[in-house]
Amino acid sequence: MTLFTDDQKQLQEMIRPFFAEEGAIKPQLRHWRDTGCKDGFGHELWKQMAGLGLTGLAIREADGGLGLGAVEAGLVLEEIGRNLSPSPFLTTAVAAVRALEGSAQAARWFPGILAGDTVAALAVDEGRNHDPAGTALKAERSGNGFSLSGTKQFVVHGASADLILVAARTAGSPGERDGITLFAVERDAAGLEVENVVLADASQAARLTLANVAVDGDAVVGEVDGGWTPLSRALDAGRAGAAAELVGVAAGASALTFDYLRQRKQFGKLIGEYQVLQHRAAHLYGEIEIARAAAMKAAELIDRTDPRAELMVAVAKAKAGNVARLAVQEGVQMHGGIGMTDEHDIGLYMKRDAVLGELFGDARFHRARVAELSGY
């Protein structure tokens, strides 16, 4: 990974204080959780992010966006993870934008995303585990369009979304990449039933049931039977972004932990002076730096359209997931009993890791992808 450019450093300097203040845990995560918000995030913060140009960060300049890439998105997501800032940035401004770019649907949805008025969701999985190729939801020809029938699980922001990108099967059998088509479905479509579910970290996902949902031919994103191309583009961008956010979760949790080690006294001595805890802290710091390098390298390869990007994305998501899990576990353990209370923020990082680690495939899924892509 090369050093950040001056523009990337300026972006980082702008967003770090913004998320530390406006996106901090108390005014955002705890507030929306404790008020039982059905969205799980604040639309005002989403509008503020639009005002900074962040919602259009990955949208091409010709379409009104900033025309930046996965590296810049990763910088934003690391700060989101560090502060546990709830927002639809990953699903909307990263994954959905990458799916829609170059399609006829871009003109329909990008203005709303740019303005911070539109939220998008990606409906891919149908079972317990992440398995895009296992898509079984049917899309059958009906007049000039299609009729969609089936179910989807773990659709993050599904109940809040104005746009739901639905992977459906127009040909072939579950397990095959060919024959999948990606559809842009509006949330008020007749026959679409949405069951909202509160996740462990207080974010919201949905179970979708589609019963003969009618869409016209213009709802196809990309080509009929060729949806794997925009879908994989969206998933890899989402996975690289999730890896960066997991690095932020790990960094935020470790910052709380290291600060606690410098303040907490036991038997008249700061616990950070005990060598065994110093060794654990040093090991954790090194692991976070490795995960950050992997996440940024994956983003860089995506931006260069390097054929190795798919492999590095899998490496980054697996590594970041493992490191975030280490960081939150070490954090709770080193905090002792207080780490198990809701009053302390360290437990919130553990909950976010539990959800984010599963999104777009967990560490086990991506280790298997690394083996597959390496020829094993």
Side-chain angles (χ1 to χ4, degrees), residues 16-257:
R16 182 160 289 176
F18 170 76
F19 284 108
E21 296 171 12
E22 301 297 331
I25 291 173
K26 186 175 181 180
Q28 294 296 333
L29 175 58
R30 285 191 179 275
H31 172 74
W32 300 117
R33 183 198 67 173
D34 295 345
T35 55
C37 175
K38 70 176 182 62
D39 296 322
F41 67 90
H43 287 271
E44 183 179 349
L45 180 65
W46 186 230
K47 291 286 286 187
Q48 287 179 285
M49 292 171 68
L52 293 174
L54 300 182
T55 61
L57 182 145
I59 294 176
R60 296 178 302 186
E61 290 183 275
D63 295 321
L66 295 182
L68 301 178
V71 171
E72 289 82 5
L75 293 176
V76 174
L77 283 159
E78 183 170 339
E79 297 309 313
I80 287 174
R82 191 190 309 275
N83 296 284
L84 301 183
S85 306
S87 84
F89 181 82
L90 179 58
T91 56
T92 302
V94 177
V97 163
R98 287 306 308 273
L100 292 171
E101 65 183 16
S103 73
Q105 286 290 330
R108 165 72 174 86
W109 296 105
F110 279 179
I113 293 174
L114 286 164
D117 295 328
T118 296
V119 172
L122 201 60
V124 179
D125 294 317
E126 300 174 13
R128 293 183 177 180
N129 300 315
H130 183 59
D131 183 18
T135 294
L137 185 146
K138 291 183 178 181
E140 299 177 325
R141 291 279 186 180
S142 177
N144 294 324
F146 294 84
S147 176
L148 280 57
S149 295
T151 61
K152 293 290 183 180
Q153 306 283 342
F154 194 42
V155 182
V156 176
H157 302 310
S160 308
D162 305 282
L163 161 68
I164 304 175
L165 295 172
V166 179
R169 186 159 294 283
T170 46
S173 303
E176 298 176 357
R177 296 180 177 183
D178 293 336
I180 291 176
T181 302
L182 194 61
F183 293 91
V185 178
E186 299 190 28
R187 68 173 170 185
D188 58 355
L192 174 61
E193 181 181 332
V194 180
E195 178 189 357
N196 208 20
V197 179
V198 182
L199 302 178
D201 63 345
S203 64
Q204 309 281 327
R207 299 188 182 99
L208 306 184
T209 300
L210 292 85
N212 298 315
V213 173
V215 295
D216 58 32
D218 292 339
V220 173
V221 179
E223 302 292 334
V224 175
D225 296 341
W228 187 259
T229 297
L231 178 60
S232 60
R233 191 169 61 228
L235 288 174
D236 277 346
R239 289 160 179 164
E245 187 174 342
L246 282 164
V247 170
V249 169
S254 66
L256 280 181
T257 303

